[in-house]
Amino acid sequence: MIKRPTPERFRLRRTMMFMNAQKPGLIKDAYIYGCDSIMLDLEDAVAENQKDAARFSLYHALTTIDYGKTEVIVRINGLDTPHWQEDIRVCVAGGADGIRIAKCESAQDVKTVEAAVEAAEKEFGVEVGRTLLMAALESPKGVLNAYEICSASDRMFGVAISGGDFRKCMQTKFDPSGIDMLVARGQMLMAARAAGIQCFDTVFTDLDDNEGFEAEVRQNKAMGFDGKSLINPKQIRLVHEVFAPTEKEVLQAEAMVSAFREAAAQGIGVFTVNGKMVDVAFIPGAERTLKLAKACGMYEGDLV
Amino acid sequence: MQIEKNAMAGTLESSDAMVTVEPAETGIELEISSSVMNQYGRQIKATVLETLERLEVTSGKVTVVDKGALDCTLKARVECAVFRSCEKSAAGIPWGGVIK
């Protein structure tokens, strides 16, 4: 049985690719695409009368296939279905890194899932607290309650919006400018940052519209998202490119972090690097840039 | 477990297998067809029989139409078909117990 390493609550998650847990052809070699996380789906991609079969398939995939460094998250069925409890049991027993709560609308939803996860961890002898959680906001109510959802549990690593369901509730449709989702994205981002967790944008479903996809990913980055949900491996590369820092940003970040460490050792709080003022407030951002650069193969130093 | 009624799991898509189980009086009657029969027929048979043994299924007619499934997929399909035949596939599955 494959023993997956302890999940990291905060790690790089630029790309999170959905795949149907019921389709062996998809999940058997999902790690080769190089996305940061894969999202094995027990929810909408699986037909109502195949939920049971998808769990058997998921269990054996989780325990047999070595996904390496790719994070493995499972999207479970909504709390208004008869499926979610067994979904949680199989995720925990199989050693999934995290669970995505579909249609999350309140802190109580997170706590309900958390209680079931803890019970499953005890049932299957898994360390209590190992299984991470993230929430998908799919309704106006979920977005309005974003902060209480984001801060509901120490297991929460992130929050994502689901565009299809949200637009349906709002009686809007996709708009290339992003105006249809602007408020929801903004509110969710602020809630996630206030709670100190990560934030992911929805999927882009028109696989033939490359320009539209790129525009949306660039807007995601400008708004402050950590990453994006994807439906096809061909979308991965662009997201990684857009989310990568520029060479100039990497050099500046490196200079800032090393200068800061030197200055701090000498008791200096504020100083300049290449003409720009630097103090402690800039350092977490610079360190994040270096970590991202490392993941993108642009930085090989040892500052992070 | 005992196969109580006809049940099926899986699909005929590539990398999958369709497994059908039917009740029988005595013994296991296994029928396999596979797109990779020459290379993997013996291994498929061994995996299916091992899985049935683990589930303590001692009698039944089992039909496997394999489309190049990995062992882990074959196991999942056989287990699901057997649990469906007992109407026990929806909840309370012994993950890590007989399912492993």
Side-chain angles (χ1 to χ4, degrees):
Chain A
M1 179 169 161
I2 296 289
K3 203 78 182 138
R4 295 192 50 78
T6 305
E8 278 176 72
R9 189 173 172 208
F10 296 111
R11 51 168 280 160
L12 194 64
R13 295 185 180 92
R14 299 161 296 182
T15 44
M16 204 173 264
M17 188 166 65
F18 277 102
M19 40 189 69
N20 185 344
Q22 155 74 355
K23 293 208 182 263
L26 290 178
I27 62 179
K28 70 181 167 60
D29 46 18
Y31 53 87
I32 63 172
Y33 301 114
C35 50
D36 294 326
S37 313
I38 57 169
M39 175 76 61
L40 299 171
D41 192 12
L42 294 174
E43 199 211 8
D44 288 356
V46 179
E48 187 62 25
N49 63 2
Q50 298 299 326
K51 300 290 186 189
D52 54 350
R55 285 189 210 106
F56 283 94
S57 166
L58 174 71
Y59 180 78
H60 287 291
L62 287 172
T63 53
T64 321
I65 299 171
D66 186 355
Y67 287 102
K69 283 187 184 162
T70 308
E71 184 178 49
V72 182
I73 312 278
V74 180
R75 175 162 79 162
I76 62 168
N77 287 283
L79 300 180
D80 55 348
T81 69
H83 308 300
W84 64 275
Q85 281 147 312
E86 192 63 17
D87 290 348
I88 288 175
R89 287 184 73 241
V90 71
C91 291
V92 172
D97 296 332
I99 289 174
R100 172 167 162 139
I101 309 167
K103 300 187 174 68
C104 191
E105 294 206 311
S106 65
Q108 187 53 50
D109 288 352
V110 177
K111 290 189 197 304
T112 301
V113 169
E114 184 175 40
V117 168
E118 188 172 326
E121 285 170 341
K122 288 176 180 158
E123 179 185 352
F124 296 108
V126 173
E127 185 196 337
V128 170
R130 181 186 190 278
T131 316
L132 302 175
L133 297 178
M134 68 172 288
L137 310 182
E138 313 193 17
S139 66
K141 190 176 167 194
V143 174
L144 286 170
N145 291 336
Y147 180 69
E148 66 162 59
I149 290 169
C150 291
S151 49
S153 161
D154 287 343
R155 294 176 189 255
M156 284 284 287
F157 69 82
V159 67
I161 191 152
S162 168
D165 288 278
F166 182 75
R167 290 185 186 105
K168 195 169 66 192
C169 294
M170 296 300 290
Q171 302 172 12
T172 55
K173 57 186 174 53
F174 170 79
D175 188 281
S177 70
I179 188 96
D180 54 323
M181 300 271 290
L182 185 64
V183 173
R185 283 179 172 133
Q187 165 124 358
M188 182 178 69
L189 278 158
M190 281 209 287
R193 292 293 174 243
I197 65 171
Q198 294 179 329
C199 196
F200 314 103
D201 192 43
T202 186
V203 296
F204 189 86
T205 52
D206 186 350
L207 289 172
D208 295 327
D209 181 5
N210 293 332
E211 276 171 36
F213 179 58
E214 180 166 352
E216 185 165 289
V217 176
R218 291 197 182 281
Q219 187 184 65
N220 290 162
K221 183 174 184 205
M223 288 185 82
F225 279 101
D226 291 278
K228 189 161 182 68
S229 311
L230 306 179
I231 51 166
N232 189 294
K234 77 176 191 180
Q235 298 180 317
I236 295 170
R237 199 216 292 222
L238 177 86
V239 179
H240 286 184
E241 274 169 22
V242 171
F243 275 77
T246 64
E247 204 170 331
K248 203 172 146 196
E249 283 168 345
V250 177
L251 289 172
Q252 178 72 3
E254 187 179 14
M256 278 162 65
V257 173
S258 65
F260 175 78
R261 292 194 187 161
E262 234 168 80
Q266 293 168 21
I268 300 167
V270 63
F271 53 93
T272 61
V273 173
N274 300 334
K276 288 203 182 108
M277 186 202 88
V278 176
D279 64 16
V280 66
F282 291 84
I283 300 309
E287 285 174 347
R288 199 170 50 246
T289 301
L290 290 182
K291 280 185 198 154
L292 196 57
K294 203 163 216 178
C296 303
M298 296 169 67
Y299 174 68
E300 290 174 352
D302 55 3
L303 289 173
V304 288
Chain B
M1 294 174 84
Q2 186 150 7
I3 294 171
E4 289 175 10
K5 57 171 191 167
N6 294 4
M8 198 176 77
T11 70
L12 295 177
E13 290 173 30
S14 173
S15 303
D16 204 347
M18 188 181 267
V19 175
T20 313
V21 298
E22 295 162 57
E25 293 295 316
T26 49
I28 303 266
E29 188 189 327
L30 177 58
E31 192 183 312
I32 298 172
S33 59
S34 171
S35 51
V36 287
M37 197 66 187
N38 290 340
Q39 300 95 316
Y40 295 110
R42 247 177 297 174
Q43 194 182 332
I44 294 167
K45 186 177 171 191
T47 302
V48 172
L49 288 177
E50 261 170 44
T51 308
L52 292 170
E53 199 183 316
R54 185 156 37 78
L55 299 176
E56 295 178 8
V57 175
T58 50
S59 65
K61 182 172 186 305
V62 178
T63 313
V64 178
V65 183
D66 171 67
K67 297 288 175 185
L70 294 179
D71 276 0
C72 61
T73 304
L74 276 172
K75 282 199 245 177
R77 296 319 190 195
V78 172
E79 289 162 355
C80 184
V82 172
F83 275 75
R84 280 178 172 177
S85 86
C86 308
E87 293 187 2
K88 284 183 179 159
S89 63
I93 307 295
W95 307 115
V98 294
I99 304 301
K100 61 181 180 190

